Amino acid sequence: MNNTSAFSSVDYDLEIQKTVPFYEELYRQITETAKLFGNKPLSWLDIGCGTGKTAESVLGKVPVEKFIFCDISAEMTDICKGRFPFPKAEFLISDVSGTNFCNNFEPEAFDIVTAILVNHYFRPDKRKAALQNCFRALKKGGILITAENFAPSGTIIEKLYLKRWENFQLERGRSPEDCHRHLERYGKNYFPITVSESLDMLRECGFAESEVFALSCCQAAFISVK
């Protein structure tokens, strides 16, 4: 299966820093949230693991009993295998929106599920299927943290936010042509929905509580509790 992101697996880490505001801060907050579980050894499923940024951020800082790297791209999981060759790591090539996704592990197996910059690649029906699979994978009381590009709720604010996002990329050295190509993907290569639509969908999937976790330019993160 192919990598669906805007960047190749080789260039991903460098380019994503130039593209997503507060990228490092998002992972710092994920780590701090995981610490709230205390010293309990955690089971963790990272969907759309990419090159392993979540694992890089949390391993050694929170106790992890099992960490599953999951991505639709074999190239990405191969990179993670090279970076994190420890006994409690597992590597899964799978589409989280698939009907058989949860057959890959025991039901209610995980304390934490993360899906960073994943869900916006799904159209609404598949997005909901992916979130339902995340819900099934979590233990009761477990948390899901997602982050995705979102759609501002009005056309004027949408233009404003997209311009802010373009300026962020330009300030970090991306060319005007690269910025234009990236913004052209909006609504074509990925399918953002509004913050309120995201929260509604999370609650429809059965989560007891869902809230905004972080927000900047056209990216939003959400935390949900089963």
Side-chain angles (χ1 to χ4, degrees), residues 36-56:
L36 299 179
F37 280 82
N39 293 322
K40 170 189 172 183
L42 301 174
S43 52
W44 196 306
L45 171 62
D46 187 33
I47 294 165
C49 62
T51 60
K53 181 63 178 178
T54 302
E56 176 189 276

mmCIF file of all heavy atoms in Angstrom, residues 36-56:
data_model
loop_
_atom_site.group_PDB
_atom_site.id
_atom_site.type_symbol
_atom_site.label_atom_id
_atom_site.label_comp_id
_atom_site.label_asym_id
_atom_site.label_seq_id
_atom_site.Cartn_x
_atom_site.Cartn_y
_atom_site.Cartn_z
ATOM 1 N N LEU A 36 -0.156 11.047 32.914
ATOM 2 C CA LEU A 36 -1.228 11.094 33.903
ATOM 3 C C LEU A 36 -1.741 9.706 34.271
ATOM 4 O O LEU A 36 -2.465 9.548 35.250
ATOM 5 C CB LEU A 36 -2.375 11.962 33.383
ATOM 6 C CG LEU A 36 -2.019 13.434 33.099
ATOM 7 C CD1 LEU A 36 -3.229 14.176 32.557
ATOM 8 C CD2 LEU A 36 -1.494 14.121 34.357
ATOM 9 N N PHE A 37 -1.384 8.695 33.483
ATOM 10 C CA PHE A 37 -1.726 7.320 33.834
ATOM 11 C C PHE A 37 -0.866 6.798 34.983
ATOM 12 O O PHE A 37 -1.068 5.689 35.465
ATOM 13 C CB PHE A 37 -1.550 6.400 32.622
ATOM 14 C CG PHE A 37 -2.695 6.438 31.653
ATOM 15 C CD1 PHE A 37 -2.797 7.447 30.706
ATOM 16 C CD2 PHE A 37 -3.675 5.458 31.679
ATOM 17 C CE1 PHE A 37 -3.849 7.485 29.806
ATOM 18 C CE2 PHE A 37 -4.733 5.475 30.779
ATOM 19 C CZ PHE A 37 -4.818 6.492 29.839
ATOM 20 N N GLY A 38 0.139 7.583 35.398
ATOM 21 C CA GLY A 38 1.015 7.172 36.492
ATOM 22 C C GLY A 38 2.045 6.154 36.034
ATOM 23 O O GLY A 38 2.502 6.182 34.895
ATOM 24 N N ASN A 39 2.406 5.252 36.926
ATOM 25 C CA ASN A 39 3.446 4.265 36.617
ATOM 26 C C ASN A 39 2.895 2.984 36.010
ATOM 27 O O ASN A 39 3.620 2.003 35.852
ATOM 28 C CB ASN A 39 4.240 3.934 37.887
ATOM 29 C CG ASN A 39 5.047 5.123 38.372
ATOM 30 O OD1 ASN A 39 5.599 5.870 37.567
ATOM 31 N ND2 ASN A 39 5.109 5.298 39.682
ATOM 32 N N LYS A 40 1.620 2.974 35.689
ATOM 33 C CA LYS A 40 1.017 1.794 35.080
ATOM 34 C C LYS A 40 1.627 1.544 33.703
ATOM 35 O O LYS A 40 1.687 2.452 32.870
ATOM 36 C CB LYS A 40 -0.484 2.023 34.954
ATOM 37 C CG LYS A 40 -1.213 0.990 34.129
ATOM 38 C CD LYS A 40 -2.650 1.430 33.889
ATOM 39 C CE LYS A 40 -3.334 0.506 32.903
ATOM 40 N NZ LYS A 40 -4.713 0.953 32.596
ATOM 41 N N PRO A 41 2.093 0.317 33.425
ATOM 42 C CA PRO A 41 2.600 0.004 32.081
ATOM 43 C C PRO A 41 1.477 0.098 31.050
ATOM 44 O O PRO A 41 0.406 -0.493 31.237
ATOM 45 C CB PRO A 41 3.116 -1.431 32.211
ATOM 46 C CG PRO A 41 3.311 -1.644 33.672
ATOM 47 C CD PRO A 41 2.259 -0.814 34.355
ATOM 48 N N LEU A 42 1.699 0.839 29.991
ATOM 49 C CA LEU A 42 0.649 1.149 29.033
ATOM 50 C C LEU A 42 0.749 0.280 27.782
ATOM 51 O O LEU A 42 1.842 -0.045 27.316
ATOM 52 C CB LEU A 42 0.740 2.614 28.620
ATOM 53 C CG LEU A 42 0.614 3.654 29.735
ATOM 54 C CD1 LEU A 42 0.869 5.049 29.181
ATOM 55 C CD2 LEU A 42 -0.762 3.586 30.379
ATOM 56 N N SER A 43 -0.406 -0.056 27.249
ATOM 57 C CA SER A 43 -0.474 -0.641 25.909
ATOM 58 C C SER A 43 -0.905 0.473 24.962
ATOM 59 O O SER A 43 -1.880 1.181 25.221
ATOM 60 C CB SER A 43 -1.463 -1.807 25.881
ATOM 61 O OG SER A 43 -2.710 -1.415 26.405
ATOM 62 N N TRP A 44 -0.171 0.629 23.844
ATOM 63 C CA TRP A 44 -0.319 1.818 23.000
ATOM 64 C C TRP A 44 -0.413 1.392 21.539
ATOM 65 O O TRP A 44 0.431 0.659 21.045
ATOM 66 C CB TRP A 44 0.900 2.711 23.199
ATOM 67 C CG TRP A 44 0.768 4.131 22.714
ATOM 68 C CD1 TRP A 44 0.407 4.563 21.465
ATOM 69 C CD2 TRP A 44 1.019 5.312 23.481
ATOM 70 N NE1 TRP A 44 0.421 5.931 21.403
ATOM 71 C CE2 TRP A 44 0.797 6.419 22.628
ATOM 72 C CE3 TRP A 44 1.433 5.536 24.788
ATOM 73 C CZ2 TRP A 44 0.966 7.729 23.043
ATOM 74 C CZ3 TRP A 44 1.591 6.845 25.213
ATOM 75 C CH2 TRP A 44 1.364 7.933 24.352
ATOM 76 N N LEU A 45 -1.420 1.886 20.852
ATOM 77 C CA LEU A 45 -1.587 1.670 19.423
ATOM 78 C C LEU A 45 -1.437 3.006 18.718
ATOM 79 O O LEU A 45 -2.197 3.937 18.980
ATOM 80 C CB LEU A 45 -2.968 1.067 19.131
ATOM 81 C CG LEU A 45 -3.395 0.969 17.658
ATOM 82 C CD1 LEU A 45 -2.463 0.074 16.861
ATOM 83 C CD2 LEU A 45 -4.848 0.487 17.555
ATOM 84 N N ASP A 46 -0.453 3.101 17.839
ATOM 85 C CA ASP A 46 -0.217 4.342 17.098
ATOM 86 C C ASP A 46 -0.592 4.112 15.639
ATOM 87 O O ASP A 46 0.095 3.400 14.903
ATOM 88 C CB ASP A 46 1.247 4.763 17.216
ATOM 89 C CG ASP A 46 1.507 6.125 16.606
ATOM 90 O OD1 ASP A 46 0.599 6.985 16.661
ATOM 91 O OD2 ASP A 46 2.621 6.353 16.077
ATOM 92 N N ILE A 47 -1.702 4.699 15.228
ATOM 93 C CA ILE A 47 -2.232 4.534 13.871
ATOM 94 C C ILE A 47 -1.659 5.628 12.977
ATOM 95 O O ILE A 47 -1.624 6.794 13.347
ATOM 96 C CB ILE A 47 -3.768 4.587 13.894
ATOM 97 C CG1 ILE A 47 -4.311 3.384 14.662
ATOM 98 C CG2 ILE A 47 -4.330 4.645 12.490
ATOM 99 C CD1 ILE A 47 -5.745 3.516 15.061
ATOM 100 N N GLY A 48 -1.227 5.237 11.783
ATOM 101 C CA GLY A 48 -0.548 6.185 10.916
ATOM 102 C C GLY A 48 0.777 6.575 11.541
ATOM 103 O O GLY A 48 1.118 7.755 11.628
ATOM 104 N N CYS A 49 1.525 5.574 11.965
ATOM 105 C CA CYS A 49 2.735 5.813 12.768
ATOM 106 C C CYS A 49 3.806 6.584 12.015
ATOM 107 O O CYS A 49 4.678 7.202 12.629
ATOM 108 C CB CYS A 49 3.309 4.481 13.251
ATOM 109 S SG CYS A 49 3.835 3.361 11.923
ATOM 110 N N GLY A 50 3.750 6.580 10.679
ATOM 111 C CA GLY A 50 4.766 7.296 9.918
ATOM 112 C C GLY A 50 6.156 6.791 10.242
ATOM 113 O O GLY A 50 6.403 5.585 10.303
ATOM 114 N N THR A 51 7.055 7.705 10.498
ATOM 115 C CA THR A 51 8.439 7.335 10.802
ATOM 116 C C THR A 51 8.667 7.092 12.293
ATOM 117 O O THR A 51 9.794 6.890 12.721
ATOM 118 C CB THR A 51 9.409 8.421 10.317
ATOM 119 O OG1 THR A 51 9.089 9.658 10.973
ATOM 120 C CG2 THR A 51 9.304 8.618 8.812
ATOM 121 N N GLY A 52 7.594 7.143 13.094
ATOM 122 C CA GLY A 52 7.714 6.808 14.511
ATOM 123 C C GLY A 52 7.832 7.990 15.450
ATOM 124 O O GLY A 52 8.390 7.864 16.536
ATOM 125 N N LYS A 53 7.258 9.135 15.078
ATOM 126 C CA LYS A 53 7.371 10.329 15.908
ATOM 127 C C LYS A 53 6.720 10.140 17.273
ATOM 128 O O LYS A 53 7.265 10.590 18.293
ATOM 129 C CB LYS A 53 6.744 11.530 15.196
ATOM 130 C CG LYS A 53 6.831 12.837 15.976
ATOM 131 C CD LYS A 53 8.280 13.254 16.191
ATOM 132 C CE LYS A 53 8.366 14.575 16.933
ATOM 133 N NZ LYS A 53 9.764 14.967 17.193
ATOM 134 N N THR A 54 5.569 9.484 17.333
ATOM 135 C CA THR A 54 4.916 9.274 18.629
ATOM 136 C C THR A 54 5.805 8.440 19.539
ATOM 137 O O THR A 54 6.020 8.779 20.707
ATOM 138 C CB THR A 54 3.558 8.578 18.451
ATOM 139 O OG1 THR A 54 2.735 9.374 17.595
ATOM 140 C CG2 THR A 54 2.865 8.399 19.785
ATOM 141 N N ALA A 55 6.332 7.340 19.016
ATOM 142 C CA ALA A 55 7.214 6.487 19.813
ATOM 143 C C ALA A 55 8.449 7.240 20.260
ATOM 144 O O ALA A 55 8.879 7.137 21.416
ATOM 145 C CB ALA A 55 7.607 5.248 19.008
ATOM 146 N N GLU A 56 9.029 8.018 19.372
ATOM 147 C CA GLU A 56 10.205 8.819 19.723
ATOM 148 C C GLU A 56 9.906 9.749 20.891
ATOM 149 O O GLU A 56 10.743 9.969 21.766
ATOM 150 C CB GLU A 56 10.633 9.639 18.503
ATOM 151 C CG GLU A 56 11.797 10.587 18.741
ATOM 152 C CD GLU A 56 12.000 11.504 17.557
ATOM 153 O OE1 GLU A 56 12.666 11.085 16.595
ATOM 154 O OE2 GLU A 56 11.471 12.642 17.570
#
